[in-house]
Amino acid sequence: MFPIEYFIGLVLIGICAGFASGLLGVGGGFLIVPLQYFLLKYIGVNPDLAMLISLGTSLAIIIPTTLSGAYRHTRTMDGIIKPGVQLGIFGIIGGVLGGFVASGLPSRMLEIIFGCLLLFIAVNNIVNINKEREDARIPFNLISTGIIGFLVGFSSGLLGVGGGIFLIAILTALLGFSMIEAIGTSSIFISLTAIGGFLSYVVSGWGVSTFPYSIGYVSIINFLLIACFSVPLASIGAKYAHRVPQKKLKIIFSVLVLYMALKMLGVLP
């Protein structure tokens, strides 16, 4: 039913997304969503359905992948569980809402807003590349936690990504977290907030999706094959994150943020 290259593609997605998730504390959705979309279109799935399946399945994959990385980070760092859970609680609420509006709300305006934010943060990181951490510009309290968690969670549900790329940038640029602290906290946050978006895609796609072996807009085949490789690779990536110098991690993250900013703004295809 599916060509062999489709399965090979799913395995490669799992390997790349899993390692990136653990190393950088991102969910890997920035890889999982577009690559799944390409593969689904390749086998003849309608583009609109392919996008919704890519978004919903991406969030399902992100849950076990980031849990694997988060477990590794918590074994080597103290003090990241509490802020990660606090942000994640609000992120779940935002993720549910973002997932439900994804099929009916044009995301272009949100992409432009986040693209501008990411561009500012990328430039700020590059300018301050030699600093271990930024000074906190806003306090980390219930209000800031609620606003940040909800907004990042909403973007997660709407765009089918874990939201880590946004959260890490905010934690390092505005809240004074070091890069490795932000990566560990983000892993915990993503594993929680992706749950909200995942559930909304299951519910909104119930009885609608015609893709074989799927629950709502979540493909069971894609989930199993990608997750089988992304989960162990996330643990390996998290292990390497604690061996790589902070400056190199910041450079890698800044390049990734800059790429995502230009892509969201439409500068890159």
Side-chain angles (χ1 to χ4, degrees):
M1 186 176 189
F2 298 108
I4 186 65
E5 53 266 35
Y6 181 73
F7 296 107
I8 295 173
L10 293 176
V11 170
L12 292 176
I13 292 172
I15 293 172
C16 296
F19 188 78
S21 174
L23 182 68
L24 299 174
V26 297
F30 68 97
L31 290 173
I32 298 173
V33 171
L35 293 179
Q36 270 193 113
Y37 178 66
F38 170 78
L39 283 173
L40 288 166
K41 286 207 305 178
Y42 175 77
I43 62 173
V45 179
N46 177 275
D48 291 335
L49 179 59
M51 178 54 71
L52 289 172
I53 292 172
S54 299
L55 293 171
T57 308
S58 171
L59 289 167
I61 295 164
I62 283 170
I63 297 169
T65 302
T66 50
L67 276 173
S68 175
Y71 174 72
R72 172 72 69 170
H73 284 300
T74 56
R75 291 180 61 187
T76 53
M77 279 190 295
D78 296 322
I80 63 171
I81 295 179
K82 183 178 179 180
V85 172
Q86 288 175 336
L87 288 162
I89 291 172
F90 292 99
I92 290 175
I93 300 171
V96 170
L97 181 60
F100 274 119
V101 302
S103 59
L105 179 69
S107 62
R108 185 58 190 149
M109 182 175 295
L110 185 65
E111 288 178 352
I112 292 174
I113 293 172
F114 273 110
C116 292
L117 173 63
L118 289 177
L119 185 62
F120 167 78
I121 291 170
V123 172
N124 181 74
N125 275 351
I126 293 171
V127 170
N128 298 290
I129 203 72
N130 291 315
K131 291 185 178 180
E132 286 294 318
R133 65 169 70 214
E134 298 286 329
D135 294 331
R137 299 180 184 179
I138 59 175
F140 188 81
N141 53 33
L142 184 61
I143 296 176
S144 62
T145 299
I147 294 174
I148 293 170
F150 177 81
L151 290 178
V152 176
F154 182 80
S155 70
S156 170
L158 185 66
L159 303 176
V161 297
I165 194 168
F166 302 124
L167 184 63
I168 293 173
I170 292 170
L171 292 179
T172 54
L174 300 179
L175 293 170
F177 281 55
S178 70
M179 180 58 68
I180 193 64
E181 288 172 345
I183 288 173
T185 303
S186 174
S187 294
I188 297 170
F189 167 84
I190 295 170
S191 63
L192 293 174
T193 194
I195 295 173
F198 156 71
L199 292 175
S200 65
Y201 279 97
V202 169
V203 174
S204 62
W206 197 266
V208 177
S209 174
T210 58
F211 192 71
Y213 311 110
S214 62
I215 301 175
Y217 290 123
V218 178
S219 166
I220 302 301
I221 293 176
N222 290 21
F223 170 77
L224 290 176
L225 265 181
I226 295 176
C228 278
F229 290 88
S230 66
V231 171
L233 264 294
S235 181
I236 295 173
K239 182 178 179 180
Y240 275 94
H242 293 271
R243 298 179 179 179
V244 178
Q246 293 280 300
K247 184 177 179 180
K248 287 186 178 180
L249 277 177
K250 203 168 187 178
I251 291 173
I252 295 171
F253 183 75
S254 296
V255 171
L256 180 59
V257 171
L258 182 60
Y259 169 77
M260 288 299 296
L262 296 177
K263 192 171 183 65
M264 281 192 158
L265 292 172
V267 177
L268 296 176

